[in-house]
Amino acid sequence: MKHTIVMTGASRGIGRVAAGRILRRSPDVHLLVVARGSSGAQLAAELATGGHTVSHVSADLGSLGSVRSAATEICDRLDSGDLPPLRGFVGNAGMQYANALTETPDGFESTFAVNVLANHLFVRLLWDRFVAPARIVITASDTHFGDFRHNMGMVPGPAWKSPDVLARTCAFPKPDTVVAGRTAYSTSKLAAIYLVHEYARRLPAGIDAVGYNPGFVPGTDLARNADPVSRFAMRRILPVMSLTPFATSRNAAGRCLADVVLGTFQAPTGSYVDRTRVDHSSEESYDPRREGELWDAAERFTAA
């Protein structure tokens, strides 16, 4: 039966690979890609090559108003029958900044806004439109472990604080530094896992929520807003690590993401998928008090 999957972060990197695989593996999918400005139309046209059904909606994930407008448009299209039933949401878009000072028009720290609040607002506004069986997949990161084994010393571990602090700039020491920016990133990915756990508790039966960790994937544009040295390293030097066991290639990570989204990879609701297997996330990531606190804060932050 024809059904809709909504996806952010499909324009490049593992998202682009995953989008193509989703369409090839499931011809009944109407893939709705969320992209900024006019790039969505071009992306949809490229993905539709071969007879696939793809459409787009425009959104700037750094603006809650823009996300709300995009989600409202999707709901209207679902309600009118322009889109088939909604059976998936993929929150794959993510951002890492060179500091913890970058602020959105809504007054939130940009890493937290894009990596946490944008996903939450999409999920909440689409909440009543999901038709079981459905799956929500949020791209997480093993940077949330905060140890050398998972991060190879490249990204500081998360530094959890009250969500009211994390959502604003200057949440971490020396906020104008790359270290603070990377700490904001790993902390945002811990927050994403907390919300996955909370979704799993609150969603109706048959609508699952899963966190997916692609591992370290060199050569993506994740650090496109980072400092010049970091951008050069991510694009030109670190891609050679794809040939080692310490990294995952874009193709491999994208294929795994697609399999998780389509449910061909079995993962119970609330689980953490580490590349090709269901595994435990960090010990710190299992904290019902923090999960509930973050849920309440995200609801406040994203209220119309």
Side-chain angles (χ1 to χ4, degrees), residues 135 208-211 260 263-273 278:
R135 177 169 281 188
D208 297 340
V210 176
V260 173
T264 53
F265 185 93
Q266 298 299 313
T269 188
S271 62
Y272 176 78
V273 179
V278 176

Side-chain angles (χ1 to χ4, degrees), residues 120 124 127 198-199 202 291-299:
H120 183 71
R124 292 296 285 134
W127 192 276
E198 201 65 24
Y199 298 153
R202 294 172 181 264
E291 291 160 5
E293 180 184 46
L294 178 59
W295 168 277
D296 291 341
E299 291 286 280

Side-chain angles (χ1 to χ4, degrees), residues 23-252:
L23 291 166
R24 290 191 300 272
R25 294 288 297 272
S26 184
D28 289 335
V29 165
H30 181 132
L31 184 65
L32 193 157
V33 293
V34 179
R36 182 182 295 196
S38 60
S39 64
Q42 180 179 347
L43 174 61
E46 292 172 357
L47 290 171
T49 302
H52 303 301
T53 306
V54 186
S55 61
H56 73 282
V57 64
S58 177
D60 175 359
L61 300 183
S63 164
L64 294 180
S66 181
V67 172
R68 187 173 289 106
S69 294
T72 299
E73 180 180 338
I74 295 169
C75 289
D76 289 344
R77 293 179 62 185
L78 288 165
D79 293 346
S80 70
D82 179 54
L83 291 173
L86 180 63
R87 290 221 166 106
F89 172 78
V90 189
N92 179 62
M95 192 61 69
Q96 180 178 307
Y97 291 86
N99 56 58
L101 291 173
T102 309
E103 189 174 71
T104 70
D106 303 296
F108 297 108
E109 192 276 319
S110 292
T111 312
F112 192 87
V114 173
N115 296 357
V116 182
L117 296 183
N119 283 331
H120 183 71
L121 186 54
F122 265 122
V123 169
R124 292 296 285 134
L125 292 178
L126 297 175
W127 192 276
D128 294 334
R129 302 313 198 282
F130 287 105
V131 177
R135 177 169 281 188
I136 295 164
V137 180
I138 306 297
T139 298
S141 168
D142 51 10
T143 59
H144 84 277
F145 279 90
D147 56 17
F148 186 85
R149 175 188 163 205
H150 292 91
N151 301 337
M152 294 176 287
M154 294 187 293
V155 180
W160 190 259
K161 304 181 183 203
S162 162
D164 288 279
V165 174
L166 295 175
R168 309 297 175 179
T169 57
C170 301
F172 307 103
K174 299 181 180 179
D176 59 330
T177 64
V178 172
V179 171
R182 292 177 179 173
T183 303
Y185 176 78
S186 62
T187 305
S188 76
K189 290 303 183 177
L190 176 61
I193 296 172
Y194 284 149
L195 285 178
V196 165
H197 293 165
E198 201 65 24
Y199 298 153
R201 291 189 188 98
R202 294 172 181 264
L203 284 163
I207 304 174
D208 297 340
V210 176
Y212 168 69
N213 167 45
F216 173 55
V217 186
T220 69
D221 280 343
L222 174 65
R224 58 188 176 275
N225 285 330
D227 61 283
V229 173
S230 296
R231 292 200 305 270
F232 178 80
M234 282 294 290
R235 293 175 180 173
R236 302 298 181 189
I237 299 174
L238 295 180
V240 299
M241 293 187 66
S242 297
L243 304 175
T244 75
F246 298 104
T248 312
S249 72
R250 280 183 294 178
N251 286 339

Side-chain angles (χ1 to χ4, degrees), residues 272-290:
Y272 176 78
V273 179
D274 181 8
R275 285 158 278 204
T276 59
R277 60 180 182 145
V278 176
D279 203 352
H280 292 290
S281 48
S282 70
E283 183 176 348
E284 185 180 9
S285 71
Y286 299 95
D287 189 324
R289 182 188 61 79
R290 288 184 180 178

